[in-house]
Amino acid sequence: MAKKSKKQQQPGGTPATVALTTAGVDFTVHSYDHDPAHPSYGEEAAEAMGVSPDRVFKTLVADVDGTLTVAVVPVAGQLDLKALASAVGGKRATMADPALAERTTGYVRGGISPLGQRKRLPTVLDESASSHPTICVSAGRRGLEVELAPEDLAKLTEAVLAPVARA
């Protein structure tokens, strides 16, 4: 596993790392060799980085009453769709069509980042994130994660913090 700090970041990068650099946020990039045969992108990331799955968060796109909405939850848990709908004042949530999620965010499934998306979507960050000094989220492609303070992620994505994950 290679690890690069913000200061060593090459110009360009993914839209997520560009957004973090532009915002002046402290972050660390973690890269690893993605195994296409691994059954879970998030669990693979946690294993490859040697980080607890409670600190690695996956980015999921759901449809809440016709509005695409991003949920950022620990890979160790699952998204509670009812809780997500409630967190954004909606009535019903379903998982978004993967192709629509990819087109809207500009990222591929397994590499969707909550940062630097093509179109800014309402975002909900599971409140468990605030119990960690830093969390990891996708940096915009499979095999690349960024580690940052959950407060910075919430601020940059204008996320609502709410209990939207379940074990």
Side-chain angles (χ1 to χ4, degrees):
M1 167 190 69
K3 186 176 177 177
K4 291 194 262 182
S5 72
K6 177 178 88 167
K7 314 239 180 330
Q8 299 166 324
Q9 181 79 20
Q10 297 298 317
T14 67
T17 60
V18 170
L20 289 165
T21 301
T22 301
V25 170
D26 286 331
F27 67 97
T28 303
V29 173
H30 299 272
S31 64
Y32 59 92
D33 292 327
H34 166 62
D35 175 4
H38 200 288
S40 167
Y41 297 117
E43 289 176 11
E44 176 191 25
E47 290 167 10
M49 294 185 302
V51 174
S52 167
D54 293 341
R55 284 191 45 230
V56 179
F57 282 64
K58 56 189 169 186
T59 306
L60 303 171
V61 181
D63 180 319
V64 180
D65 298 335
T67 300
L68 289 182
T69 303
V70 172
V72 185
V73 298
V75 301
Q78 294 182 336
L79 174 61
D80 181 333
L81 289 165
K82 285 184 181 184
L84 175 64
S86 177
V88 294
K91 293 182 181 177
R92 185 170 182 270
T94 58
M95 292 306 297
D97 173 69
L100 178 60
E102 289 179 345
R103 273 194 315 275
T104 305
T105 64
Y107 294 118
V108 298
R109 200 176 79 176
I112 295 178
S113 177
L115 299 155
Q117 295 179 357
R118 184 176 289 152
K119 179 181 177 188
R120 182 178 288 237
L121 300 173
T123 301
V124 180
L125 175 59
D126 186 66
E127 68 181 8
S128 68
S130 58
S131 67
H132 304 287
T134 60
I135 61 171
C136 298
V137 297
S138 176
R141 67 177 160 83
R142 297 172 190 153
L144 196 67
E145 296 276 314
V146 289
E147 182 177 351
L148 73 165
E151 300 80 26
D152 290 335
L153 178 62
K155 181 179 176 184
L156 290 173
T157 59
E158 299 178 7
V160 172
L161 260 69
V164 293
R166 56 186 152 90

